[in-house]
């Protein structure tokens, strides 16, 4: 993990490490294994540049064979967990893709994409915020790598990369498209070639050159040719001793033409992360000076077909990212008149695009994503057009004042009522909601007095306040997320017999030292019930079930019911009391 996040590691070496991780996880996913705890601590970079993925202790093997969870291990690390893992939903291989994106972001920037002073802040950011865009040198790498990171860190699993094979393809494309940029800024020796059985042919990330240099092979070849020439000349002299001596012909040779297949370097090196029995080898190119560049070679990965496929994949990925942004903007406008049908059509196109992308039909995927984006945008325009507008005042001063028209006020009142219905019950005590209620009462008074213009304006202001109240963080959701995170920490503390961790939750759990003296091999199951909210206080009933081996190595089971009380301050919930029921 330390070498993985080494800030001095060249960008080219970071891309090689990322490609090896992606290849190793893809290998596991192809065999039905989901890691579920990808983080820097579980990734080891060896001295020879090879990457090892560690700790499959909480991996899930297939959807039908259940789960395998190792004692003393929590189900993922919040900073690297996918949103669906945090919410406790059923996960698939796309959860590993999200975690890979977090690791890739941290490798490239040196900072985690989701950070905070405490676990609830981190969980909130994973669920609700987007990380800062990448800022790399050289600058034109940022856009390409930003697209890959964004495709991994999308909140919706359906809008995420479909597989790590796609991620690996895009990493290869970055390596090929920016070869000249990387070559001009990074020493080529820092690119780790694929390790093989012949360790002398392996170059390390540290830049140590191979002991089997092409110049040595050249000198050996020249020596052999010279010996053969001398033997041939001696034999000719013996057969023609009367002939006059002739000058020995000059023997010339040219150095072999080294080739550097960049895509093969990535593909071969990452294979070790998936299968340690791989025997793939790659030859190191000889060092060249500015005066003598190696002859050009044909790279199969840079053929027009390969470049066209990479461009098509980038187009499809870009279309998917734009579609996802449009979908997020349209989500809160689905109830506008006529929008429901558009939403269903857009969702169908989004799913069709993802299926086409998974099947490799990149043109069809891009077209479907664009169609979905257009439909989502149409929902936004439809909702905006439905918003009531007040009629302009007459411009002709001589015109007679029209009779008050209640229609505009009626439309504004209906819009306000719709906004009020969207405010969750947990947010009806907020200041914004109370302000909206006051404005609504004033609007009703104006309407009753047939002051329809004033009523319409007040209804509009009330609607905006209701919308502001609905946009505030939902304390019920925040309390529920905090309880889930605390329950996971409690389970981890029991299984690890970690009194410090238990004590950080509550002094109540710091007194379990006697239990740990007689219990071993503890398996804990902590299940919180529904969270009941009462203003700034929340209560929840937590079921704790422990299975352990006693001092005679007999399996025992114990169950407890604990009552948790939490208090909120500045939208942060804290466990303040634990009682036994």
């Amino acid at each position: 993990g330390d070498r993985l996040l080494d800030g001095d590691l060249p960008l080219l070496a970071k891309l090689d490490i990322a490609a090896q991780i992606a290849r190793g996880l893809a290998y596991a996913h192809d065999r039905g294994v989901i890691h579920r705890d990808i983080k820097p601590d579980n990734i080891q970079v060896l001295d020879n540049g090879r990457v090892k993925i560690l700790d499959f202790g909480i991996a899930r093997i297939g959807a039908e064979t259940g789960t395998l969870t190792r004692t003393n291990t929590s189900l993922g690390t919040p900073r690297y967990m996918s949103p669906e893992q945090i919410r406790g939903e059923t996960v698939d291989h796309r959860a590993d893709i999200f975690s890979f994106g977090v690791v890739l972001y941290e490798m490239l920037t040196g900072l985690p994409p989701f950070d905070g002073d405490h676990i609830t802040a981190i969980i909130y950011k994973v669920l609700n915020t987007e990380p800062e865009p990448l800022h790399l040198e050289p600058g034109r790498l940022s856009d390409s790598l930003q697209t890959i990171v964004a495709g991994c860190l999308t909140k919706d699993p359906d809008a995420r990369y479909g597989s790590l094979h796609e991620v690996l393809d895009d990493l290869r494309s970055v390596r090929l498209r920016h070869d000249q940029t990387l070559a001009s800024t990074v020493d080529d020796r820092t690119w780790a070639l694929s390790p093989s059985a012949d360790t002398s042919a392996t170059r390390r990330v540290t830049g140590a050159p191979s002991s089997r240099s092409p110049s040595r092979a050249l000198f050996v070849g020249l020596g052999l040719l010279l010996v053969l020439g001398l033997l041939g000349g001696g034999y000719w002299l013996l057969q023609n001793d009367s002939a006059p001596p002739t000058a020995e012909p000059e023997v010339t040779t040219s150095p072999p033409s080294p080739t550097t297949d960049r895509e093969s370097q990535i593909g071969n090196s990452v294979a070790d992360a998936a299968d340690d029995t791989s025997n793939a080898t790659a030859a190191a190119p000889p060092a060249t000076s500015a005066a003598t560049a190696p002859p050009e070679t044909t790279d199969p990965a840079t053929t027009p077909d390969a470049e066209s496929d990479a461009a098509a994949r980038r187009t499809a990925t870009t279309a998917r990212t734009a579609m996802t942004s449009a979908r997020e903007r349209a989500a809160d406008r689905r109830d506008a008149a006529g929008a429901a049908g558009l939403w269903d059509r857009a969702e169908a196109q989004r799913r069709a695009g993802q299926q086409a992308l998974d099947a490799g039909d990149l043109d069809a995927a891009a077209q479907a994503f664009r169609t979905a984006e257009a439909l989502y945008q149409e929902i936004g325009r439809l909702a905006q057009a439905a918003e009531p507008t007040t009629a302009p005042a007459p411009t002709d001063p001589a015109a007679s004042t029209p009779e008050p028209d209640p229609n505009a006020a009626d439309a504004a009142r209906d819009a306000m009522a719709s906004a009020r219905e969207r405010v969750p019950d947990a947010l009806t005590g907020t200041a914004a909601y109370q302000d909206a209620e006051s404005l609504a009462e004033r609007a009703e008074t104006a309407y009753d007095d047939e002051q329809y213009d004033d009523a319409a304006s007040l209804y509009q202001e009330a609607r905006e306040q209701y919308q502001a109240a609905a946009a505030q963080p939902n304390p019920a959701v925040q309390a529920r997320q905090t309880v889930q995170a605390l329950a996971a920490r409690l389970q981890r503390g029991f299984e690890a017999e970690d009194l410090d961790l238990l004590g950080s939750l509550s002094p109540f759990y710091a007194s379990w030292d006697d239990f740990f003296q007689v219990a071993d091999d503890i398996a804990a199951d902590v299940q919180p019930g529904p969270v009941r909210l009462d203003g700034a206080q929340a209560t929840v009933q937590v079921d704790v079930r422990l299975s352990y081996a006693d001092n005679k190595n007999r399996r025992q089971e114990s169950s407890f019911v604990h009552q948790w009380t939490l208090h909120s301050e500045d939208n942060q919930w804290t466990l303040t009391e634990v009682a036994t029921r």
Side-chain angles (χ1 to χ4, degrees):
D2 294 339
R3 293 193 63 191
L4 184 72
L5 303 179
D6 183 0
D8 296 330
L9 201 62
L11 178 58
L12 196 57
K14 292 179 181 179
L15 291 180
D16 173 67
I17 292 171
Q20 292 189 59
I21 299 170
R23 183 64 174 271
L25 285 174
Y27 181 92
H29 292 172
D30 291 345
R31 287 149 182 81
V33 178
I34 305 169
H35 192 285
R36 299 200 296 173
D37 195 19
I38 291 300
K39 57 185 178 181
D41 289 345
N42 287 338
I43 299 170
Q44 182 180 14
V45 182
L46 305 181
D47 289 340
N48 61 5
R50 295 170 58 186
V51 171
K52 297 291 184 181
I53 301 175
L54 310 177
D55 200 355
F56 277 81
I58 66 170
R60 184 166 67 87
I61 304 179
E64 300 178 0
T65 57
T67 59
L68 296 179
T69 303
R70 189 189 65 184
T71 302
N72 301 339
T73 304
S74 63
L75 293 179
T77 303
R79 194 187 308 275
Y80 301 92
M81 287 168 64
S82 65
E84 57 267 28
Q85 280 179 282
I86 290 177
R87 290 191 292 263
E89 300 171 356
T90 301
V91 301
D92 57 20
H93 65 284
R94 292 173 295 185
D96 283 351
I97 295 177
F98 187 93
S99 301
F100 169 81
V102 177
V103 173
L104 177 58
Y105 185 100
E106 193 166 356
M107 287 175 57
L108 295 173
T109 66
L111 299 172
F114 309 106
D115 201 8
D117 295 334
H118 43 78
I119 189 171
T120 55
I122 294 173
I123 290 175
Y124 178 82
K125 289 184 178 180
V126 172
L127 294 175
N128 299 286
T129 67
E130 300 296 335
E132 290 292 326
L134 299 177
H135 298 288
L136 304 175
E137 290 294 342
R140 64 183 181 135
L141 285 178
S142 294
D143 293 339
S144 300
L145 292 175
Q146 176 66 39
T147 300
I148 297 175
V149 170
C152 293
L153 296 182
T154 302
K155 309 293 186 188
D156 183 1
D158 291 338
R160 213 171 288 157
Y161 273 105
S163 73
L164 278 161
H165 291 293
E166 299 176 11
V167 179
L168 188 57
D169 287 343
D170 286 352
L171 285 172
R172 287 172 176 154
S173 298
V174 171
R175 180 65 177 88
L176 294 171
R177 289 173 54 209
H178 300 287
D179 178 69
Q180 294 303 319
T181 300
L182 293 174
S184 64
T185 57
V186 181
D187 189 342
D188 189 59
R189 291 179 299 170
T190 61
W191 184 259
L193 295 180
S194 171
S196 67
D198 184 359
T199 57
S200 64
T202 301
R203 289 185 295 173
R204 303 174 182 266
V205 173
T206 56
S210 169
S211 61
R212 296 174 61 187
S213 65
S215 58
R216 177 181 177 183
L218 176 62
F219 291 144
V220 172
L222 288 172
L224 289 175
L225 288 175
L226 182 59
V227 170
L228 291 175
L230 292 174
L231 292 175
Y235 177 78
W236 185 84
L237 289 174
L238 290 175
Q239 296 294 325
N240 301 275
D241 53 359
S242 60
T246 59
E248 181 179 351
E250 181 181 357
V251 180
T252 61
T253 182
S254 60
S257 299
T259 62
T260 306
D261 187 345
R262 304 292 186 185
E263 183 176 3
S264 296
Q265 292 178 12
I266 298 178
N268 290 337
S269 63
V270 300
D272 291 314
D275 185 359
D276 287 339
T277 61
S278 171
N279 291 321
T281 60
T288 58
S289 64
T292 59
E296 296 183 356
T297 60
T298 301
D299 187 346
T302 60
T303 61
D305 289 342
E307 293 179 354
S308 176
D309 183 70
R313 183 170 297 279
R314 289 193 300 274
T315 300
T317 303
T318 302
R320 179 177 60 183
T321 301
M323 177 273 299
T324 301
S325 298
R327 182 175 185 267
E328 293 174 353
R329 292 192 298 270
D332 60 348
R333 300 185 174 186
R334 295 167 52 183
D335 57 350
L342 292 175
W343 179 269
D344 292 340
R345 288 167 54 194
E347 289 290 278
Q349 288 294 327
R350 178 178 65 80
R351 290 190 292 269
Q354 188 60 48
Q355 291 173 359
L357 189 61
D358 294 340
D361 192 349
L362 304 178
D363 293 336
Q367 181 60 39
F369 289 142
R370 293 192 190 101
T371 302
E373 179 189 5
L375 290 169
Y376 290 132
Q377 292 174 344
E378 182 62 24
I379 292 173
R381 287 191 292 269
L382 183 63
Q384 184 176 4
E387 294 182 357
T389 57
T390 57
T395 57
D396 185 2
S400 60
T401 303
E403 292 293 328
D405 183 6
N407 292 334
D410 290 339
R413 178 165 55 182
D414 292 341
M416 178 204 70
S418 177
R420 176 191 284 164
E421 292 175 355
R422 294 194 187 96
V423 180
D425 293 339
L427 296 175
T428 56
T430 61
Y433 186 87
Q434 297 302 321
D435 290 344
E437 291 284 272
S438 177
L439 288 168
E441 291 179 5
R442 292 171 54 193
E444 289 295 323
T445 301
Y447 189 92
D448 293 340
D449 293 340
E450 297 185 356
Q451 302 294 325
Y452 298 122
D453 291 342
D454 292 342
S457 177
L458 289 169
Y459 284 135
Q460 174 70 16
E461 292 182 37
R463 181 177 72 90
E464 293 173 355
Q465 286 298 317
Y466 284 127
Q467 290 175 336
Q472 293 182 5
N474 191 327
V477 174
Q478 290 182 318
R480 209 160 40 240
Q481 293 173 349
T482 301
V483 166
Q484 291 173 351
L486 293 175
R489 289 174 60 189
L490 179 61
Q491 178 172 318
R492 185 165 67 252
F494 277 128
E495 293 183 341
E497 302 181 23
D498 189 340
L499 284 176
D500 291 336
L501 178 58
L502 294 174
S504 68
L505 295 173
S506 170
F508 175 87
Y509 293 112
S511 60
W512 284 66
D513 186 46
D514 293 340
F515 173 74
F516 293 142
Q517 297 298 325
V518 298
D520 194 14
D521 191 19
I522 301 172
D525 183 19
V526 180
Q527 296 295 334
V531 178
R532 294 180 293 277
L533 205 63
D534 183 11
Q537 177 175 296
T539 57
V540 59
Q541 181 174 296
V542 181
D543 294 332
V544 180
R545 290 184 292 274
L546 302 178
S547 174
Y548 57 91
D550 61 15
N551 52 9
K552 294 183 179 180
N553 204 28
R554 295 173 300 187
R555 294 303 300 180
Q556 303 287 347
E557 292 189 0
S558 299
S559 297
F560 312 93
V561 178
H562 293 166
Q563 180 81 23
W564 285 1
T565 302
L566 298 91
H567 284 84
S568 174
E569 184 176 354
D570 296 331
N571 295 325
Q572 300 295 333
W573 289 91
T574 304
L575 179 61
T576 57
E577 183 180 351
V578 179
T580 303
R581 300 193 61 178

